Amino acid sequence: MNKQRAQEIASSPVMANVTYDGVPIYIQHVDEQGETARIYPLGQPENEQQVSLNSLVEE
């Protein structure tokens, strides 16, 4: 996923269908310089992780 689209999704009030390793996730924050995103699986905010934007897929 490109960083502009990830930023749009993160700042939008509308939930987008994005997955990481096939798991639906929520994007909390996008680090544009590092090209990473802070994410967590839907319903599991305690499982937060930092991943590469390239590993995110919009369904």
Side-chain angles (χ1 to χ4, degrees), residues 36-56:
T36 60
R38 193 165 56 240
I39 66 162
Y40 61 81
L42 294 183
Q44 299 177 35
E46 68 280 1
N47 292 335
E48 186 178 15
Q49 56 187 310
Q50 194 87 4
V51 299
S52 167
L53 291 176
N54 292 335
S55 61
L56 301 180

Side-chain angles (χ1 to χ4, degrees), residues 2 4 6 8 10 12 15 19 22-23 31-33 36-38 40-41 43 48 54-55 59:
N2 72 46
Q4 180 178 347
E8 289 171 2
S12 173
M15 193 67 192
T19 60
V23 177
D31 176 0
E32 292 186 33
Q33 290 186 344
T36 60
R38 193 165 56 240
Y40 61 81
E48 186 178 15
N54 292 335
S55 61
E59 302 289 324

